[in-house]
Every structure is written in structure tokens, then in C-alpha cells.
Amino acid sequence: MASEPLRIFPSGPAPRELPDYLPARMVNEFVYCPRLFFYEWVDGVFRESSDTLEGSAQHARVDKPGKGLAKASELAEDEKVHSRSVMLSSEQYRVIAKMDLIEVEGGTVTPVDYKHGKPLEGIDELKVWPADRAQLAVQAIVLRENGYTCDEGVLYYQGTKQRVRVPITEETITETVTAIRAAWALAERGPIPPPLFGSPKCGGCSLAPICLPDEVNRLLEAEPDERQMALFVLDSGEAPKKPAAREMRQLLTPRDDLKPAYIDTQGLRVGRSGGVLQVKDKDKTVHEIRLTEINQLNVMGNIQVTTQAIQSLLEEGIPVCYFSQGGWFYGITTGMVTKNVFLRQKQFALAAQPWFCRKLAGRLVAGKIRNQRTLLLRNHIEPPVRVVAEMKAMAERAERCESVQELLGLEGNGARLYFGQFQGMLKVEQEDGDGLPGDGGFRFDFQGRNRRPPRDPVNALLSLAYSMLAKDLQIACYAVGFDPMMGFYHQPRFGRPSLALDLMEPFRPLIADSAVLNAINTRMVSAGDFVAVGDSVMLTPGGRKAFYRAYELRMDGLVTHPIFEYRVSYRRLLEIQARLLAKMLEGEIGEYPVFVTR
Ligand code: SF4
């Protein structure tokens, strides 16, 4: 029986304060893509790409202060001046423009706008992009309202070093005023517009990893309407045809080039010199790490990080994660990454709705049981038919569960069945740990899950893996704008990252358990990598380092997404899933597609 839908209907944006004026640059964004405009101006989301960085560098060169622009009434007929970085506004349309350059000659003014790309190539003439023309027209509007005569503007494309003159006709002004009014209406009333269909613009859009245009269209099973089809034809220059709504492009690279850094040796000190982290043992530099090469710094135990290093890490958007020496996750230091307060408003509002929590929790637990079952089928020497069948039935029941209490019972029973068979996935059996000198006398002999403290090597590895995964999901929560402490299945508890733990459920077997199995079965970690401390079993420093490698190998491994059909690393996947949850909470997509591997 199919489970009930979990639909949140989109509402307009939560009441929010907008700035007094709409910048000309945002009119450009609106004409380019209304969704991009909404993200940037209404939600305050921004992400650098090579294009935005290049654009900023080029603007920095032209933004040098120059001679100020005289008042319109004071311009002399024979005056010929160039004024740079001039800011003017229009009260009538509530727009503001910072103009790169104004050329004044013969009593008229010509705004010159610098663009880092190239013009649109027409058949007989150079054309400008509609979004660039709208931005220039906003500049003409503010100049005219301030009393200047402005009949044309210039777009200077730095990519090809070409100046394109743009006459400011009545038609251009009307078109631009319509865009300004539509942009204000959208910002004030929302909701966020749907993604473009198959548009080539998405390939060059810095927000594609946040917007997930093709993913959202696929989940909505949407068909483009007439306006979207017209836009597709305009943007792609292709003959009118229906863009394939279900065509999937991979706009994200499968893996992040940046890697997490782990500092594990006790007593080390991390400082900073320029763009490099220097890891020192007393006064001797033992390791150097470029800030441009890492995406997180993991501090394992008693390691000091200087204020200068933390400031630079936060400036670069690199979180610092703190663990105990034994792998207990204490928390994260991040920069100002949680700008999207409106998402957190929705998160808190829905976390207070028992029906919603129950349904989402049911899907998460079902996903976890299904992934545990798949892991058994893939790795167990001989998975018992009864167990596999029971787990399948449990996953189906979890989706239909009517109470969280019942769900907790199902999850516990599923875990007992799964961990009852875990030993069958360990392929080294008793070859290790036969009491040979230096092997610590341990065996990879798993009798069931135990923790706080773990009392055997497999449990020590599982606890460390879950700690690392919880940390990575907290980072994903922060990247999206969630509060990782407020969950839907895991109830709020002091210091517990409940939402990170919710998102983690389906990934426990796929990432953490799988990394543990791989570390043991490929002998990356052996019985000699453990020590007994009282009742607990801990990894040695060498064993921990080996396991970090096993974990990162798993996170870097590519997996085929069952809905989107492209291959991505598990690390990328965690952020994609967190973004899809945000889109579901905001009512953009109907269901949260829990990741279930085939
Ligand atoms: S990825 Fe495409 S649809 Fe999404 S904001 Fe960018 S241009 Fe618009």
C-alpha cells in the first residue's frame, strides 16, 4: 500500500523586510532568471564561481574613483568628462544604480557598463544580452529622473574588448519598467519561481548547486508551460521544440576537489602564515596545508589552533570540527553561513507538527532499513532469507507507521536483525588477533552493538564512523541554512544535532558501516590497531589515521543516484539531500526523496 503524500504547499515568502531600492544589477538577474533573482535578492544566497570572481576583479579595476558627476543643471555644453562609480536612484521606480562610467559630452550623458563576457552574436551586427540591456536601461532611467539627457548607453564586453552602443528607446524603457515592477511584485509576494527548463543559462549559473534545476524539475515531473518553452528557445537559440523535462544534466562536478584535513597527533599547534596553515610540533613545522586545498579542518584531541588560523579558516568558509582523542564529536566552528533565516522559520514551524514529524521519520527509518538490507545482500556470505524478507516488510511498515513510538520499536527490531548478521559481512574472521605479540589480543568478533564506551574493535570503529558522519551532516545542514539541532525524528535534546542525525539515518549503512567493513576486510585496520583502556577499546593513533583514510575513501566514492541517474560522491550527495529537504520544507517539491541505493 502506498504511503500518504507528505505535501507542503508553497506559501509566499515569510514577512520580510526588503531594501528601499532595487539595484540595477538585480534587474539584470531578474531578466536573466527570476529564480536566480529571488535567491540572491530575497533569500540573500550568493555563491562565488569563476565567472563571479572574474567579474569582481574586472569591476575592481574600473571602480577607481574619478571626477564626480556634476549636477544636471550645472553641465556645460562644451564639457567633456568621464565620471566613475556614480550612484543615483529613482524614486518613481524605487531602483538604484551604481554606474561604472559616465561619459559626458555636449550636455548629454552616456552610461558605460562593463561586462566580463562577450556580446550576443547576431547575424549582421553585435547584439547585447537582454539582461545587460535592462541593466543599462535602469541606469538611463535613474539618470533621466535626475535631470540628465541620456539617449544611449554603452556595454563594454571585456572578454572580446568590444563596445556595443545601445539606443535607449521608448520600447526599451517600457520593457525595463515592466521587469522592474515584476521583480518588486515577486520579491514582495513570492513564492520562488520554478527552475528554468533545460536552459543553457544554468550551466553558467553560480547558484546551480543550490537551485538544482533539473533535479527539481524531475522530482516535480513538471512539464514546461508556454512561457518556459519560449524562454528555452530564446536562451538556447535552438529550434522550437519541447525541452525534455526529464532530461537530466549533471551541473555539479561529481566530486569536490577540496579534501578534509585531519590533525590527530596530540600536542601539535596549528598556526597560519599567509594562505597556508602551518602545523607545528613545538617550533618545528611538521606539515603545511594550503587553505585553498581543504574544505574542513578536523581537530582530533589536544591540538591548539591559533585565533589567526581560525579567522582565516572562517573567512574562507572552512568549518573547524572538534573531536576528542577517542573520536567523540564536540562541535563545529563556522563562519556566518546561516543567512537563510526563513528556512529555519519553516524548519521550526514544521518540527512542531506531529503529523509531519511522524511521516518524515517513517520515510527516513524505512530508507535506513532498506539500505541496511542492501548492504547485507551485497556483503554477507550468505544472507538469511528470513532476515532479508523481514527487513523488507519492516521498511514497508515504517512508511505507514502511525506513531513515533511504533517507529522506534520497528527501528530497534530492524537494527537487531541487521547487527545480528553483521559478523557475516566481516571477511577476516579470526585470522587476525590470535594473541600474537603486538596485535593487542583482539579479534574482529562482533557480538552486537555496544557503545559509550565501545567494548570491542568493531564497535570502536562503528562509533568513530558515526561520529564522523554526524559531523559531515552538520556541515551539510549549515551549508543549506538549517539549524542542525532541531530535528523531526530525533527530538530536541541539549547538545544533540537532531536534524543531522535525522538526515544521517539512511546513510549509516551506506557510508559509516560500509567504511568500517572496508577498513577491516581490506586490512587497512588490523587487530594490532586497538588498545584496551579499562572496559573500553580504543584505536591507536596509527589505527585512527588508517580509519580516517578508509572513511574519506568512502566519502569520495561515486554512487549512482537512483532518481537523477548521475554519479556523485557521497560527500556531494549529503549536501544535495540536505538541499532537497529544504526544498520540500519550503513547499517547492512534494516529497523528500530519501536516498535508497539499488
Ligand atoms: S540554475 Fe538555472 S534555473 Fe537555477 S537559478 Fe540558475 S539560471 Fe535560474
Side-chain angles (χ1 to χ4, degrees):
M1 190 175 87
S3 53
E4 283 175 62
L6 186 61
R7 189 91 173 92
I8 305 293
F9 290 96
S11 52
R16 61 187 83 192
E17 239 174 67
L18 291 168
D20 293 337
Y21 297 99
L22 177 63
R25 193 174 64 77
M26 285 299 145
V27 179
N28 179 318
E29 302 288 43
F30 179 82
V31 174
Y32 185 83
C33 169
R35 183 172 169 93
L36 176 66
F37 159 80
F38 196 93
Y39 271 130
E40 291 200 350
W41 202 55
V42 184
D43 278 351
V45 177
F46 183 74
R47 192 165 179 142
E48 291 283 14
S49 68
S50 54
D51 279 359
T52 62
L53 287 169
E54 194 186 326
S56 312
Q58 285 168 350
H59 267 103
R61 286 198 287 278
V62 298
D63 274 356
K64 297 199 183 86
K67 196 172 183 320
L69 180 66
K71 283 187 180 158
S73 55
E74 293 164 7
L75 283 186
E77 274 291 316
D78 56 351
E79 198 167 7
K80 196 172 171 183
V81 278
H82 283 183
S83 301
R84 289 184 191 276
S85 293
V86 177
M87 177 105 76
L88 289 172
S89 61
S90 152
E91 296 306 315
Q92 187 181 354
Y93 299 111
R94 292 191 290 153
V95 284
I96 191 161
K98 184 177 178 197
M99 288 161 276
D100 294 332
L101 174 67
I102 309 261
E103 294 175 346
V104 182
E105 191 173 359
T108 68
V109 296
T110 304
V112 181
D113 204 36
Y114 286 74
K115 297 289 169 203
H116 77 276
K118 55 181 188 177
L120 178 62
E121 280 170 23
I123 297 168
D124 298 320
E125 52 168 353
L126 289 177
K127 290 188 179 169
V128 298
W129 298 98
D132 294 346
R133 184 172 55 237
Q135 186 172 354
L136 200 61
V138 174
Q139 300 183 0
I141 286 171
V142 298
L143 284 163
R144 287 181 182 181
E145 193 173 312
N146 284 275
Y148 298 95
T149 303
C150 174
D151 300 323
E152 70 170 12
V154 169
L155 286 161
Y156 181 72
Y157 288 94
Q158 308 199 55
T160 53
K161 300 200 174 357
Q162 284 169 307
R163 270 172 75 98
V164 186
R165 306 194 86 84
V166 181
I168 307 295
T169 61
E170 276 319 299
E171 193 189 348
T172 305
I173 294 289
T174 308
E175 196 180 86
T176 305
V177 167
T178 306
I180 293 170
R181 291 197 171 122
W184 271 112
L186 174 63
E188 283 164 354
R189 293 193 281 280
I192 187 167
L196 301 175
F197 270 96
S199 171
K201 288 176 179 173
C202 301
C205 175
S206 63
L207 293 194
I210 292 169
C211 164
L212 301 174
D214 290 10
E215 290 82 349
V216 170
N217 281 332
R218 174 158 296 193
L219 290 170
L220 289 174
E221 296 187 3
E223 292 292 328
D225 60 23
E226 274 178 24
R227 193 187 66 85
Q228 288 168 321
M229 275 174 63
L231 270 177
F232 172 78
V233 172
L234 199 72
D235 295 345
S236 64
E238 285 185 20
K241 66 164 189 177
K242 195 168 179 179
R246 300 192 133 255
E247 193 180 302
M248 219 37 239
R249 297 165 300 171
Q250 185 159 11
L251 298 171
L252 309 159
T253 53
R255 291 192 173 93
D256 194 344
D257 291 337
L258 310 177
K259 304 273 179 251
Y262 291 83
I263 312 292
D264 185 82
T265 306
Q266 304 307 291
L268 293 182
R269 190 168 157 273
V270 183
R272 189 217 63 190
S273 172
V276 175
L277 293 180
Q278 291 186 319
V279 185
K280 294 192 174 183
D281 186 2
K282 300 199 174 67
D283 289 335
K284 188 172 164 232
T285 302
V286 291
H287 202 52
E288 288 197 327
I289 305 165
R290 286 183 192 284
L291 285 167
T292 49
E293 289 176 358
I294 60 169
N295 54 13
Q296 48 179 265
L297 178 70
N298 295 289
V299 177
M300 319 300 288
N302 299 319
I303 288 142
Q304 311 305 316
V305 186
T306 65
T307 305
Q308 292 87 335
I310 290 177
Q311 284 169 348
S312 298
L313 285 157
L314 301 191
E315 253 173 30
E316 295 296 323
I318 303 168
V320 187
C321 310
Y322 302 93
F323 292 81
S324 70
Q325 196 182 344
W328 178 257
F329 175 45
Y330 288 125
I332 298 182
T333 302
T334 63
M336 302 288 284
V337 290
T338 53
K339 284 189 193 159
N340 189 355
V341 65
F342 306 110
L343 173 63
R344 290 195 293 288
Q345 280 182 333
K346 293 250 166 69
Q347 180 190 353
F348 276 66
L350 284 164
Q353 300 287 332
W355 70 270
F356 180 81
C357 294
R358 194 181 66 238
K359 296 220 172 289
L360 182 59
R363 283 152 173 75
L364 292 166
V365 170
K368 173 178 162 181
I369 297 174
R370 288 193 173 111
N371 288 336
Q372 287 174 329
R373 180 176 173 272
T374 303
L375 206 70
L376 279 181
L377 286 169
R378 279 187 194 161
N379 295 288
H380 198 282
I381 302 168
E382 197 176 355
V385 176
R386 177 192 58 83
V387 170
V388 170
E390 270 187 52
M391 290 182 82
K392 185 169 185 248
M394 272 180 185
E396 284 162 11
R397 274 174 54 204
E399 275 184 329
R400 300 194 303 267
C401 239
E402 285 303 320
S403 77
V404 171
Q405 271 322 99
E406 193 189 337
L407 197 57
L408 286 167
L410 266 176
E411 190 199 355
N413 289 339
R416 257 190 299 284
L417 278 178
Y418 168 71
F419 283 115
Q421 300 301 323
F422 203 83
Q423 181 71 29
M425 296 193 280
L426 298 174
K427 308 285 166 63
V428 288
E429 297 195 5
Q430 308 310 336
E431 289 168 32
D432 288 326
D434 280 337
L436 298 172
D439 68 4
F442 290 114
R443 291 164 182 258
F444 290 115
D445 185 14
F446 184 78
Q447 298 299 326
R449 186 80 182 102
N450 60 59
R451 56 206 171 113
R452 291 191 197 169
R455 295 189 292 277
D456 60 79
V458 180
N459 273 297
L461 287 172
L462 286 171
S463 292
L464 178 57
Y466 295 144
S467 231
M468 292 167 78
L469 185 53
K471 170 264 301 182
D472 280 321
L473 277 155
Q474 276 200 63
I475 290 174
C477 287
Y478 280 125
V480 173
F482 280 126
D483 181 339
M485 297 290 158
M486 179 58 90
F488 299 97
Y489 178 39
H490 292 84
Q491 292 305 298
R493 186 195 292 170
F494 189 81
R496 175 158 82 175
S498 299
L499 182 63
L501 297 179
D502 284 359
L503 284 165
M504 181 167 148
E505 290 295 356
F507 289 110
R508 281 175 183 264
L510 299 181
I511 298 178
D513 300 356
S514 194
V516 170
L517 291 173
N518 210 31
I520 297 172
N521 292 342
T522 62
R523 296 168 192 273
M524 289 175 84
V525 173
S526 66
D529 287 321
F530 297 87
V531 287
V533 181
D535 279 350
S536 68
V537 170
M538 288 176 66
L539 278 148
T540 62
R544 279 200 303 275
K545 278 189 189 121
F547 186 69
Y548 303 149
R549 272 200 303 282
Y551 178 83
E552 288 306 330
L553 266 178
R554 187 63 185 161
M555 287 296 262
D556 226 21
L558 296 181
V559 57
T560 302
H561 198 289
I563 303 172
F564 308 141
E565 292 160 16
Y566 53 54
R567 284 173 73 69
V568 273
S569 71
Y570 275 106
R571 184 172 296 290
R572 271 259 138 106
L573 183 60
L574 297 186
E575 189 175 326
I576 292 176
Q577 291 299 119
R579 291 206 181 280
L580 292 176
L581 180 64
K583 289 181 195 308
M584 193 267 257
L585 299 192
E586 290 177 324
E588 248 206 89
I589 54 174
E591 286 280 346
Y592 172 61
V594 173
F595 184 87
V596 177
T597 190
R598 285 193 179 129

